[in-house]
Amino acid sequence: MPFDDLRSFLDALDKEGQLLRITDQVMPEPDIAAAANAACRMGDDAPALYFDNVAGFTSARIAMNVHGSWANHALSLGLPKGTGVKEQVNEFSRRWDTFPVAPEWRENPPWAENVMDGDDVDIFKVLPLVRLNDGDGGFYIDKAAVVSKDPEDPDNSGKQNVGIYRIQVKGKRRLALQPVPMHDIALQLRKAEEAGEDLPIAITIGNDPVISIAASTPMRYDENEYELAGALRGAPAPIAEAPLTGLPVPWGSEVVVEGVIEGRQREIEGPFGEFTGHYSGGRNMTVIRVDRISYRTDPIFEHLYIGMPWTEVDYLIAANTCVPLYQQLKAEFPEVQAVNAMYTHGLVVIVSTAKRYGGFAKAVGMRVLSTPHGLGYAATVIVVDEDVDPFDLPQVLWAVSTKMNPAGDLIQVPNMPVLGLAPQATTPGITDKLVIDATTPVAPDGRGNYGNQVRDLPEAAEWLVRLRALAAGR
């Protein structure tokens, strides 16, 4: 059965040996973030962490690293925790093929147990806030799903958005949010501001594990994240109506914060240690006025440590970045075999493809740059042959080493859009991008001297099975 809330998933992680309960008293800073930072270094079966004895707080409950390993990611999708990376990506793609699955409206959401309204709102009384890196400009909420609608077409469920954006806490009912221009919420905010209006939003904290995956997936503007969550769960995603804004929010959330992004208001936000492994610096960002907080009794604050990769965010946005890129490319180029966009949120994308004719691989690489993800993120695209596994980095580097000739296989595209956080951009938001053609030239492109490529012996696959069995029995 799929998980309807965070608590049931934490219980499942516990039963699978994938949750560490830290019962000793810890300091809010630096212990919480440092422990999560360390957990990220434990490898592909790293556990989630749960803290409930935090100095200075009377009843803090903080969950970290919930998606922070391939084992936890597999369990979030209902797969065995030992499921391999490629198998998880393939299963994600198979489930994507069942999209859309309509959500299910439910009554009596657990987050409706307690309420703060208007001037009584004080987010510090609800969340045990801690800084994540020592250079952060303040407290952040960085794993919440933010729900909004297109103000010009509010009844179109396809144009609603559920996305994860960093949120700085500026006061007891004042927040700052970073809407990257390529993301749906930025388009919705622009429409609201052009009409002289605020943009109503709901911020949901402590969600079931699939909601977090769907909310961080680069979907098309008119695709509904709850319908993707249903496809990934294999059952409709449970949602409920937020009481103040009427927005559809996850039924099982721990906390629901409602308010508006104030039109044409900006304040300095940052710096923040980001997924790029660098601090982002301070810049003018949107301002949120909080008008209502609904929350479970003794809510669990799900937080996400973010810093030098790999951290939890790299697992959270791995498969769900690879698969939509694959689906979008495959629709136009059936020759595409696989896409690996797991590295630093897909700033590097590796694509394996067959070729119709000379120059074809370069066209595939250029198409990556114009996808919804590629517009804001993909800075370097490496294209390899169909028999090169893009998830096997030694194979990819072999292809780059032997197939790529800088004289004709490097395509530099100047002054392309990229998210403002990309540290390689001289002007924030603008950078040159690069396509590396590491495929074997085909006619009419006759460059190089490739002859016959060495292949694995036909019997090697059988011997691999035998050797693994022998090694396991030692």
Side-chain angles (χ1 to χ4, degrees):
M1 291 292 291
F3 305 101
D4 288 347
D5 62 7
L6 173 64
R7 299 186 186 202
S8 60
F9 184 52
L10 292 177
D11 288 342
L13 291 176
D14 203 2
K15 292 175 182 176
E16 292 283 347
Q18 288 299 127
L19 178 71
L20 288 181
R21 297 182 181 272
I22 315 298
T23 57
D24 295 342
Q25 187 177 80
V26 298
M27 295 298 294
E29 296 179 13
D31 287 341
I32 302 293
N37 187 179
C40 300
R41 306 297 182 242
M42 294 176 67
D44 289 345
D45 58 353
L49 308 178
Y50 183 82
F51 303 88
D52 60 4
N53 187 1
V54 183
F57 292 99
T58 56
S59 60
R61 291 163 177 79
I62 303 176
M64 303 285 290
N65 210 49
V66 172
H67 290 82
S69 64
W70 285 117
N72 287 12
H73 186 273
L75 292 169
S76 73
L77 297 175
L79 300 171
K81 69 177 183 180
T83 305
V85 179
K86 284 182 63 177
E87 290 78 8
Q88 292 193 46
V89 173
N90 290 338
E91 178 63 14
F92 197 107
S93 185
R94 187 192 68 78
R95 296 185 190 186
W96 184 288
D97 289 338
T98 69
F99 169 83
V101 175
E104 171 187 80
W105 290 93
R106 289 190 191 173
E107 301 294 331
N108 302 315
W111 47 257
E113 292 175 337
N114 304 278
V115 175
M116 289 181 176
D117 265 317
D119 289 337
D120 292 331
V121 165
D122 188 345
I123 200 163
F124 296 103
K125 293 182 179 179
V126 179
L127 299 178
L129 297 165
V130 299
R131 286 179 300 176
L132 294 171
N133 283 296
D134 53 14
D136 288 351
F139 299 127
Y140 276 82
I141 302 167
D142 66 343
K143 203 180 179 183
V146 182
V147 184
S148 57
K149 285 188 174 182
D150 187 319
E152 295 179 350
D153 196 5
D155 295 327
N156 187 332
S157 63
K159 293 183 180 179
Q160 76 182 20
N161 182 56
V162 185
I164 293 180
Y165 311 98
R166 77 189 213 193
I167 300 167
Q168 185 176 359
V169 178
K170 307 295 289 283
K172 67 178 186 178
R173 56 176 303 196
R174 198 165 183 81
L175 311 172
L177 180 142
Q178 176 183 251
V180 175
M182 300 81 181
H183 289 170
D184 294 351
I185 197 171
L187 175 58
Q188 294 172 352
L189 176 61
R190 179 170 61 81
K191 291 182 178 183
E193 289 185 323
E194 287 175 349
E197 300 172 351
D198 299 332
L199 181 68
I201 61 168
I203 301 168
T204 69
I205 301 165
N207 299 301
D208 79 65
V210 171
I211 288 295
S212 295
I213 292 172
S216 53
T217 300
M219 303 178 71
R220 294 201 312 264
Y221 184 70
D222 60 353
E223 290 179 328
N224 184 304
E225 286 81 7
Y226 292 132
E227 294 177 347
L228 174 62
L232 296 177
R233 287 163 50 91
I239 59 175
E241 183 176 304
L244 182 64
T245 59
L247 290 165
V249 297
W251 177 87
S253 301
E254 295 285 318
V255 180
V256 175
V257 177
E258 295 179 84
V260 297
I261 301 178
E262 296 181 332
R264 301 186 182 278
Q265 297 295 316
R266 301 292 188 273
E267 289 183 2
I268 293 295
E269 179 263 8
F272 183 57
E274 265 289 355
F275 72 90
T276 62
H278 297 78
Y279 287 99
S280 57
R283 61 194 70 185
N284 278 325
M285 290 296 171
T286 60
V287 177
I288 298 169
R289 185 191 73 236
V290 179
D291 295 319
R292 182 184 177 105
I293 302 178
S294 306
Y295 58 100
R296 294 184 75 158
T297 300
D298 296 326
I300 299 172
F301 178 34
E302 187 188 7
H303 212 358
L304 181 150
Y305 174 76
I306 191 168
M308 177 62 72
W310 273 43
T311 66
E312 180 184 356
V313 70
D314 296 287
Y315 295 98
L316 177 62
I317 57 179
N320 60 351
T321 303
C322 299
V323 172
L325 271 172
Y326 170 75
Q327 297 285 354
Q328 291 153 15
L329 293 174
K330 189 80 171 177
E332 298 170 357
F333 299 110
E335 293 83 1
V336 169
Q337 302 298 305
V339 175
N340 180 352
M342 300 196 305
Y343 298 101
T344 315
H345 203 347
L347 286 174
V348 171
V349 177
I350 307 166
V351 182
S352 67
T353 184
K355 289 92 58 188
R356 298 179 202 169
Y357 34 70
F360 183 79
K362 295 178 177 64
V364 173
M366 293 291 289
R367 179 66 183 94
V368 172
L369 299 181
S370 62
T371 61
H373 172 81
L375 283 171
Y377 290 87
T380 301
V381 182
I382 303 171
V383 189
V384 296
D385 287 322
E386 69 272 21
D387 59 351
V388 174
D389 181 355
F391 294 93
D392 187 330
L393 292 188
Q395 285 192 30
V396 173
L397 290 177
W398 166 79
V400 171
S401 300
T402 62
K403 309 286 187 179
M404 187 273 295
N405 183 338
D409 292 330
L410 300 180
I411 303 95
Q412 185 172 335
V413 188
N415 300 322
M416 292 287 284
V418 72
L419 80 164
L421 298 175
Q424 64 264 54
T426 303
T427 299
I430 293 291
T431 189
D432 287 11
K433 295 190 175 183
L434 180 67
V435 175
I436 300 174
D437 184 353
T439 63
T440 307
V442 296
D445 184 357
R447 296 173 300 139
N449 299 284
Y450 291 98
N452 292 323
Q453 184 175 312
V454 177
R455 307 286 179 181
D456 283 353
L457 295 171
E459 299 83 5
E462 179 183 346
W463 266 102
L464 179 60
V465 173
R466 291 177 63 182
L467 293 174
R468 282 176 173 166
L470 287 170
R474 287 185 303 174

